[in-house]
Amino acid sequence: MELANLTWPEAKEAIARAKVALLPVGSTEQHGPHLPLGTDHLTATWIAREAARRGDFLLLPTVSVGVSPHHRQFWGTLWVEPEVLMAYVMGIARSLAYHGLRKMVFVNGHGGNTPALTDAARRLRDEGIFAFVYVWWRAAEEEIRKALEDGGGHAGEMEASVVWHIAPELVRPEKFPEAAAQAAPAWGKRVHGVEVSYDTIDFAAVGCVGAPTNASPEKGKAILEAAVDKLLQFGKWLAEAPPGDLSPKPHRP
Ligand SMILES: [Zn+2]
């Protein structure tokens, strides 16, 4: 059930039935010369939509701009401060709780959002609203490792494969060689064990970490299926979990 497509009388029934809501949260940020700026929110939305369909969860409208100031030197990247994202998702969660639905999953498609979403979820819990942060590439880590040759990164084999399955018309395979030639081998730049980079451009000239060379839509499909399955299982668990078990424990005697 997709909330934005319902009328309010339909929403009343859908909210009563759903037990769990899914909020896709992504970014609009550079993903190299070969993938669209929308990569993270397209992926989060796809995974959440599939899980909502299969598990009868309530799909909320996607938050498409996240915490991406570290990509700002690349054209088109948009970002908000972490405090803004936190306040925004907490507002969405509280409005849903006002209608009576107090269990939700932040379906996160962008690593830079994770601290803000985690902090928002922790604060909401103190209000009796149970939100959890689902990070698809962490939840399906094992299956992803098996599916790929080179691994994750940023705009590398993993993301190129996933977008290729979701929206093949948005992938530019002819740009893969350019991306691969200048891809950083790992995230960040360390000096004597200290992380000294704040922006992606400090260590990745065209914005890629890991090469997309071995990406394929088939790999993307396998990864997405694993990610949907994890979210489906988690959503079912959350639907059944008694609020008492999810609430903060009382202070010890
Ligand atoms: Zn991404």
Side-chain angles (χ1 to χ4, degrees):
M1 297 165 288
E2 201 163 334
L3 184 70
N5 293 343
L6 305 177
T7 64
W8 73 259
E10 290 164 356
K12 182 185 176 186
E13 278 176 40
I15 288 170
R17 201 174 80 215
K19 290 186 179 162
V20 168
L22 307 181
L23 177 66
V25 188
S27 73
T28 299
E29 67 178 33
Q30 73 82 14
H31 276 77
H34 57 296
L35 296 179
L37 297 166
T39 291
D40 292 350
H41 72 252
L42 289 170
T43 308
T45 304
W46 196 93
I47 292 169
R49 180 173 285 129
E50 274 304 300
R53 195 175 58 78
R54 297 180 203 182
D56 207 17
F57 307 127
L58 185 69
L59 180 68
L60 302 176
T62 298
V63 177
S64 298
V65 176
V67 183
S68 309
H70 49 296
H71 292 293
R72 65 196 154 158
Q73 287 88 351
F74 296 92
W75 293 96
T77 297
L78 305 178
W79 67 93
V80 294
E81 295 302 322
E83 297 83 356
V84 173
L85 181 66
M86 266 184 73
Y88 197 77
V89 299
M90 286 171 77
I92 294 170
R94 287 179 184 134
S95 43
L96 204 56
Y98 177 76
H99 297 303
L101 186 48
R102 308 186 78 86
K103 289 179 176 177
M104 62 204 73
V105 184
F106 299 150
V107 180
N108 185 25
H110 170 54
N113 293 341
T114 306
L117 294 177
T118 304
D119 211 6
R122 188 182 54 75
R123 293 186 196 198
L124 288 166
R125 184 167 171 255
D126 285 340
E127 300 173 21
I129 298 171
F130 306 107
F132 294 88
V133 185
Y134 167 90
V135 181
W136 64 264
W137 64 94
R138 294 258 174 266
E141 207 162 19
E142 219 179 291
E143 292 80 357
I144 290 172
R145 203 178 310 118
K146 282 181 200 157
L148 297 179
E149 288 161 74
D150 305 324
H154 178 80
E157 185 188 15
M158 180 176 78
E159 287 190 304
S161 296
V162 160
V163 180
W164 217 341
H165 178 68
I166 294 173
E169 71 283 5
L170 298 181
V171 178
R172 284 73 158 176
E174 72 280 7
K175 298 278 188 185
F176 283 6
E178 182 189 341
Q182 300 183 73
W187 190 273
K189 184 178 164 189
R190 297 186 129 223
V191 176
H192 299 304
V194 178
E195 180 57 59
V196 295
S197 66
Y198 283 101
D199 296 329
T200 313
I201 203 168
D202 295 339
F203 54 88
V206 290
C208 311
V209 177
T213 315
N214 290 318
S216 75
E218 294 74 25
K219 285 176 182 169
K221 184 174 193 287
I223 290 169
L224 286 163
E225 278 301 325
V228 169
D229 189 57
K230 295 281 177 188
L231 181 54
L232 186 58
Q233 299 311 323
F234 179 75
K236 285 181 181 170
W237 174 85
L238 183 57
E240 296 306 316
D245 291 359
L246 302 173
S247 301
K249 303 280 180 287
H251 196 295
R252 55 168 298 143

